[in-house]
């Protein structure tokens, strides 16, 4: 986790403009679209895990073109949150977002910032600690509750493929 954060911080990335969110929902924090290429060697075990999870549990038709893909580096400070949403393409590309792959890169303890999925009972967040991964269908509604102390840091990879049939 520390090595990945260190490598990301070596580069300067432009912050996503405020107000960019999936739908009209509350999204508070600092979000950075970053290229995957400088991190590809370091992240290859995680990306391999994403591929194997798809193969073993989902079976989606996904274009694993890591050399073309990007990531999102998400920093939720105190008050940072992301209300209920799904991850989907909002442009008119001939692909669909199929899997959301999250890697928790928080180096210090934080409070709040729990991760919820609609397929789970409200009040029961998913366990998601530093160095752990969550991989789920992008069409499942999910949210991050407000962070109350510290910083919650994650890396997101969205696996896409041909449009749903």
């Amino acid at each position: 986790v520390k090595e990945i954060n260190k490598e990301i911080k070596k580069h300067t990335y432009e912050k996503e403009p405020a107000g960019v969110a999936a739908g009209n929902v509350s999204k508070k924090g600092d979000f950075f679209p970053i290229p995957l290429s400088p991190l590809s060697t370091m992240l290859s075990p995680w990306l391999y895990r994403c591929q194997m999870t798809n193969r073993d549990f989902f079976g989606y038709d996904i274009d694993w073109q890591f050399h073309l893909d990007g990531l999102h580096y998400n920093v939720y400070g105190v008050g940072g949150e992301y209300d209920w949403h799904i991850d989907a393409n909002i442009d008119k590309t001939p692909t669909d977002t199929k899997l959301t792959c999250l890697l928790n890169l928080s180096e210090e303890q934080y409070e709040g910032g729990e991760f919820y999925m609609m397929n789970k009972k409200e009040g029961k967040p998913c366990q998601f600690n530093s160095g752990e991964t969550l991989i789920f269908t992008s069409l499942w509604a999910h949210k991050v509750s407000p962070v109350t102390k510290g910083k919650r840091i994650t890396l997101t990879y969205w696996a896409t493929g041909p449009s749903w049939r």
Side-chain angles (χ1 to χ4, degrees):
V1 167
K2 287 182 182 189
E3 292 301 314
I4 295 169
N5 280 319
K6 186 175 167 184
E7 185 62 32
I8 290 170
K9 290 174 184 172
K10 281 184 187 177
H11 307 278
T12 303
Y13 299 108
E14 194 169 320
K15 192 170 18 172
E16 181 179 88
V20 175
N24 243 351
V25 301
S26 177
K27 180 180 179 184
K28 298 175 188 166
D30 294 324
F31 308 95
F32 302 87
I34 62 174
L36 189 142
S37 52
L39 300 165
S40 59
T41 301
M42 187 176 287
L43 293 176
S44 64
W46 176 59
L47 296 169
Y48 179 75
R49 163 85 53 112
C50 296
Q51 289 176 307
M52 293 303 97
T53 299
N54 179 59
R55 184 196 69 193
D56 295 343
F57 297 99
F58 297 99
Y60 295 151
D61 187 6
I62 292 176
D63 301 322
W64 299 103
Q65 298 185 45
F66 299 128
H67 64 289
L68 299 175
D69 292 331
L71 305 165
H72 254 71
Y73 189 67
N74 314 297
V75 181
Y76 297 89
V78 173
E81 67 177 323
Y82 200 168
D83 206 359
W84 288 109
H85 66 283
I86 62 169
D87 297 329
N89 293 22
I90 56 174
D91 53 13
K92 297 191 187 286
T93 61
T95 62
D96 284 321
T97 305
K98 298 186 175 183
L99 283 182
T100 298
C101 307
L102 299 174
L103 177 60
N104 189 324
L105 295 178
S106 304
E107 292 184 44
E108 298 175 8
Q109 291 282 31
Y110 59 89
E111 294 178 13
E114 292 91 358
F115 185 87
Y116 293 87
M117 281 193 281
M118 192 62 83
N119 69 332
K120 296 262 190 184
K121 290 183 180 179
E122 182 71 33
K124 300 226 182 208
C126 298
Q127 291 298 313
F128 187 44
N129 300 309
S130 182
E132 293 182 342
T133 295
L134 286 175
I135 302 170
F136 57 94
T137 296
S138 300
L139 297 176
W140 284 350
H142 54 283
K143 75 173 186 173
V144 176
S145 69
V147 172
T148 58
K149 182 180 178 185
K151 282 186 184 175
R152 177 189 188 275
I153 302 171
T154 60
L155 194 63
T156 306
Y157 174 72
W158 290 289
T160 62
S163 296
W164 297 106
R165 296 180 247 194

